Amino acid sequence: SQKIEQNSEALNIQEGKTATLTCNYTNYSPAYLQWYRQDPGRGPVFLLLIRENEKEKRKERLKVTFDTTLKQSLFHITASQPADSATYLCAPMNRDDKIIFGKGTRLHILP
Amino acid sequence: EPEVTQTPSHQVTQMGQEVILRCVPISNHLYFYWYRQILGQKVEFLVSFYNNEISEKSEIFDDQFSVERPDGSNFTLKIRSTKLEDSAMYFCASSERASGPREQYFGPGTRLTVT
């Protein structure tokens, strides 16, 4: 069955450093991969989408890579800030409607 | 900025009762979705809806669940006979594109508590 693994349940990063979150997937050949942010008690918020033929995508302090050979995506936040503390969800997508979310990684940026 | 809205924010119901969760998607969006998140677990896809019919549904979305777009603006999820295990946050989402990858815009959720 399709499986998504996101690195460690929680990640603590010092403010100003780069946070790197990992998403690995198996039994899957996604055409796209999305990253969402979720704050406690709130709905997920779309951050970035990367297609299978793109290696890297950037948006402000965010960078996503997509390696279809390794079946992995990396999500980077540079110059991290306490406001970046949240759970980040990886969501590989086929060419259909549904999003299958990973469990997420809780990121804590320490001041 | 347009956003997805959901009502109520919290619904408490007794086991066996019917509940209807309501959503108003973003007005020019074409695709609508329901997800649920049991406390401490991941967000799970329930159903997608396009052109007034279900386009995809998960194993969770059994005969106890139904969706409807009754009036062109609301999108509802009905659970016919609630069970304790239906207690969760239910998120509605909508997306704009007719084809290709679609980022989804989520509402704030309805917390359903079944007692």
Side-chain angles (χ1 to χ4, degrees):
Chain A
S1 62
Q2 295 172 339
K3 197 173 171 185
I4 304 164
E5 286 182 358
Q6 293 193 240
N7 66 319
S8 66
E9 282 197 17
L11 193 61
N12 295 322
I13 299 291
Q14 204 66 41
E15 182 178 3
K17 302 289 186 189
T18 296
T20 298
L21 284 63
T22 305
C23 173
N24 295 296
Y25 55 89
T26 53
N27 298 325
Y28 232 135
S29 293
Y32 322 102
L33 193 143
Q34 302 189 22
W35 283 88
Y36 285 76
R37 168 184 172 138
Q38 187 177 26
D39 291 285
R42 309 290 295 271
V45 175
F46 171 77
L47 295 175
L48 276 170
L49 178 148
I50 186 165
R51 299 167 193 261
E52 62 182 336
N53 61 351
E54 296 175 316
K55 292 275 188 240
E56 183 179 296
K57 200 81 168 277
R58 290 177 187 258
K59 180 183 173 184
E60 297 171 355
R61 294 184 295 111
L62 308 180
K63 184 177 89 171
V64 170
T65 63
F66 191 12
D67 189 325
T68 54
T69 303
L70 289 179
K71 294 186 181 291
Q72 182 181 79
S73 175
L74 298 179
F75 177 82
H76 306 271
I77 306 175
T78 57
S80 58
Q81 304 165 1
D84 295 326
S85 298
T87 296
Y88 290 86
L89 311 177
C90 167
M93 285 184 75
N94 295 318
R95 295 179 195 278
D96 56 18
D97 258 344
K98 62 182 181 188
I99 294 181
I100 309 287
F101 284 101
K103 283 187 180 177
T105 298
R106 275 181 290 119
L107 177 65
H108 301 285
I109 305 299
L110 308 172
Chain B
E1 188 175 324
E3 56 184 22
V4 176
T5 58
Q6 291 185 242
T7 53
S9 57
H10 191 186
Q11 173 92 47
V12 181
T13 190
Q14 287 193 324
M15 195 167 55
Q17 295 296 305
E18 175 183 285
V19 292
I20 297 176
L21 310 183
R22 300 178 195 282
C23 168
V24 179
I26 295 173
S27 62
N28 64 334
H29 284 191
L30 301 172
Y31 290 80
F32 315 113
Y33 312 84
W34 283 101
Y35 293 82
R36 79 169 186 194
Q37 187 173 31
I38 295 169
L39 187 64
Q41 298 188 25
K42 64 180 182 177
V43 178
E44 298 175 291
F45 170 81
L46 291 178
V47 66
S48 60
F49 191 86
Y50 169 68
N51 202 24
N52 281 320
E53 58 184 31
I54 290 173
S55 50
E56 189 145 9
K57 60 183 180 179
S58 72
E59 291 173 356
I60 303 167
F61 194 88
D62 62 21
D63 292 343
Q64 291 300 308
F65 292 88
S66 61
V67 289
E68 198 177 29
R69 188 152 160 82
D71 58 13
S73 63
N74 289 284
F75 179 51
T76 61
L77 174 71
K78 184 194 289 187
I79 309 176
R80 258 180 272 283
S81 177
T82 49
K83 304 192 266 290
L84 294 176
E85 54 264 38
D86 293 326
S87 295
M89 278 289 275
Y90 287 81
F91 294 108
C92 172
S94 67
S95 65
E96 177 183 13
R97 295 171 192 265
S99 62
R102 311 178 199 119
E103 57 265 32
Q104 296 184 13
Y105 294 83
F106 284 74
T110 293
R111 180 172 299 285
L112 177 65
T113 302
V114 182
T115 61

